[in-house]
Amino acid sequence: MSDKTTRDHIVEAADQLFYQQGYEHTSFSHIAETVKISRGNFYHHFKTKDEILNAVIGVRLENTRRMLSQWENEEKTPVDRIRRFIHILITNRAKIKHYGCPVGTLCTELAKLNHPAQPEARRLFTLFRTWLSRQFEKIDHNADADELAMHILARSQGVATLASAFSDQKFIKQEVKLMDEWLNAYVKGKI
Amino acid sequence: MSDKTTRDHIVEAADQLFYQQGYEHTSFSHIAETVKISRGNFYHHFKTKDEILNAVIGVRLENTRRMLSQWENEEKTPVDRIRRFIHILITNRAKIKHYGCPVGTLCTELAKLNHPAQPEARRLFTLFRTWLSRQFEKIDHNADADELAMHILARSQGVATLASAFSDQKFIKQEVKLMDEWLNAYVKGKI
DNA sequence: GTCTATATAATGATAGAC
DNA sequence: GTCTATCATTATATAGAC
């Protein structure tokens, strides 16, 4: 079953902790405690905290790519695929309520730290951006697909931020409905 | 001219640093260095870091109230007032590009720290929320004014997050235009 | 690969002189 | 009110035994 290496466990734990507590607030001790290894052993796998961050962003990129290609397979029309994106807000609403969006909050934190990993973290957004853009492109070749992708991406981010600030899951459903309606109205206008 | 106390200077410096570097990442030394006082003197004014945070949130609440009442005086119709809110994204675009929204990013960080000041910070959002809600109420007594207020608040937050992640000021203008159009379409539908 | 022990720097916080 | 000196704790990080 589990042929995961210690390194994998570290990255996995760091991934969760960075999301739930923030990157800076998460210490080596905290990660080591979660994985149940000593801090010394820790440094055998990662020399610096930044290295762990890079590894975490790496697996997040990988997981996101896998998820997007899965959506691409499971949903046959571009509209259904965009709707699938919108509805991750519902799927992940419990965690979003507590910790916001894992991508948005990481980028926000790294921006304030002026951290060198900013471009790598941004790529997480870019994955969604280009994927969404491709779907909008399929709906209408003449549309500004990137602008539409960024629009729906921004809407999602705003929902996550406020849902977290107000600890409000109902607000997520409310806004997802509006985004669905926006998408329907947009498509209808194209027919 | 400047009859500001040392305490005022500390709060002012902390306010800026918390915004630009984040709360946790900002140390006492850093604030003391900015104000040009010793760390020891520092503790004469504030016993703990949380006390400074509370003071910072306090002045932010005060400043926000003042700004909102100024908007109320300068703009005569509820639509103009809502538009005024939307356009702070343009006004503050340079800082937003670097550090995001001061309210949203603070609430996000405090949520991850599970910090006791969360409810106080949330009040910053509530000020905008109720103010916007009142404006929508004036446009249409039968509308769900709070839902509309939260919608436009979320849109703004999303724009700030992505503008920061992509270091993109043009995106702010792009989305502000869409929000203006949304507002116009909404009002037109009410006539 | 894993551990214990340790070095070093920074943090929040206090005591007491001026 | 302001300072210097200091403490306790925690952080990242290293060295070396097993």
Side-chain angles (χ1 to χ4, degrees):
Chain A
M1 184 65 186
S2 175
D3 49 351
K4 280 179 186 164
T5 63
T6 301
R7 191 195 149 97
D8 292 335
H9 283 117
I10 291 174
V11 174
E12 204 175 312
D15 186 9
Q16 292 301 310
L17 289 169
F18 289 171
Y19 176 39
Q20 295 174 8
Q21 313 187 330
Y23 169 66
E24 178 138 70
H25 187 241
T26 301
S27 69
F28 279 20
S29 310
H30 210 141
I31 301 173
E33 200 179 310
T34 304
V35 184
K36 292 187 204 314
I37 59 170
S38 71
R39 277 181 303 159
N41 183 5
F42 203 100
Y43 285 88
H44 174 74
H45 302 280
F46 295 97
K47 294 194 201 329
T48 68
K49 200 178 171 185
D50 288 2
E51 269 186 33
I52 309 174
L53 178 59
N54 280 325
V56 166
I57 294 175
V59 300
R60 286 195 190 179
L61 282 167
E62 199 185 330
N63 291 339
T64 304
R65 281 194 204 95
R66 181 168 33 240
M67 184 178 69
L68 290 175
S69 87
Q70 192 186 323
W71 289 355
E72 194 115 11
N73 289 331
E74 292 179 6
E75 311 291 342
K76 294 307 171 191
T77 72
V79 179
D80 283 337
R81 289 170 186 159
I82 296 168
R83 217 190 321 267
R84 182 73 175 260
F85 166 79
I86 292 169
H87 281 248
I88 42 170
L89 284 168
I90 302 279
T91 310
N92 300 335
R93 63 186 185 279
K95 287 206 163 187
I96 288 171
K97 183 187 123 177
H98 279 293
Y99 317 112
C101 166
V103 181
T105 55
L106 179 64
C107 286
T108 297
E109 182 177 3
L110 296 184
K112 302 225 185 222
L113 301 178
N114 199 18
H115 197 283
Q118 278 178 91
E120 271 303 289
R122 187 183 320 165
R123 285 178 63 198
L124 287 161
F125 265 137
T126 306
L127 281 182
F128 286 103
R129 181 179 182 169
T130 55
W131 186 86
L132 284 167
S133 184
R134 237 185 315 129
Q135 309 310 322
F136 279 112
E137 180 79 17
K138 280 178 191 159
I139 295 175
D140 179 0
H141 296 287
N142 297 317
D144 190 333
D146 180 61
E147 187 172 326
L148 291 161
M150 281 292 277
H151 174 75
I152 210 70
L153 210 48
R155 295 271 292 262
S156 308
Q157 283 302 307
V159 173
T161 302
L162 283 198
S164 165
F166 286 107
S167 292
D168 188 346
Q169 285 195 25
K170 239 185 80 185
F171 172 67
I172 296 179
K173 296 204 176 180
Q174 200 177 93
E175 281 289 318
V176 164
K177 192 171 164 238
L178 290 179
M179 289 168 78
D180 277 339
E181 285 168 6
W182 173 86
L183 182 61
N184 290 337
Y186 172 74
V187 174
K188 203 174 171 186
K190 292 295 148 194
I191 297 171
Chain B
M1 185 66 186
S2 174
D3 50 351
K4 280 179 188 165
T5 63
T6 301
R7 191 196 147 96
D8 293 336
H9 284 117
I10 291 173
V11 175
E12 204 174 312
D15 187 9
Q16 291 302 309
L17 289 169
F18 289 172
Y19 177 37
Q20 295 174 7
Q21 314 187 330
Y23 170 67
E24 179 138 67
H25 187 241
T26 300
S27 68
F28 279 21
S29 311
H30 210 141
I31 300 173
E33 201 179 310
T34 304
V35 184
K36 291 185 204 316
I37 59 169
S38 70
R39 277 182 304 161
N41 183 4
F42 203 100
Y43 285 87
H44 174 73
H45 303 280
F46 295 96
K47 293 194 200 330
T48 68
K49 199 179 173 186
D50 288 2
E51 270 186 32
I52 311 173
L53 177 60
N54 279 325
V56 166
I57 295 175
V59 300
R60 286 194 190 181
L61 283 167
E62 199 184 330
N63 291 339
T64 304
R65 281 194 203 94
R66 182 169 32 239
M67 184 178 70
L68 290 175
S69 87
Q70 192 186 324
W71 289 355
E72 192 117 9
N73 289 332
E74 290 179 7
E75 312 291 343
K76 293 308 171 192
T77 72
V79 179
D80 284 336
R81 288 170 187 160
I82 296 167
R83 217 190 320 268
R84 182 74 175 260
F85 166 79
I86 293 169
H87 280 249
I88 42 171
L89 285 168
I90 303 280
T91 310
N92 299 336
R93 64 186 184 278
K95 288 207 161 185
I96 288 171
K97 184 187 122 177
H98 279 292
Y99 316 111
C101 166
V103 182
T105 55
L106 179 64
C107 286
T108 297
E109 182 178 2
L110 297 184
K112 300 225 186 222
L113 301 178
N114 199 18
H115 196 283
Q118 278 178 90
E120 271 303 288
R122 185 184 320 164
R123 285 179 63 198
L124 288 161
F125 265 136
T126 306
L127 280 181
F128 286 103
R129 180 179 184 169
T130 54
W131 186 87
L132 284 167
S133 184
R134 238 186 312 132
Q135 309 309 322
F136 279 111
E137 181 79 18
K138 280 178 191 158
I139 296 174
D140 180 359
H141 296 287
N142 297 317
D144 190 333
D146 181 61
E147 187 172 327
L148 291 162
M150 282 291 278
H151 175 74
I152 209 71
L153 210 49
R155 295 271 291 263
S156 308
Q157 283 301 307
V159 173
T161 302
L162 283 198
S164 166
F166 286 107
S167 291
D168 188 347
Q169 286 194 24
K170 240 185 78 184
F171 173 66
I172 296 179
K173 295 204 177 180
Q174 201 177 91
E175 281 290 318
V176 164
K177 191 170 164 242
L178 289 178
M179 289 167 79
D180 278 339
E181 285 168 6
W182 173 85
L183 182 61
N184 291 336
Y186 172 75
V187 174
K188 204 172 169 187
K190 292 294 148 195
I191 297 173

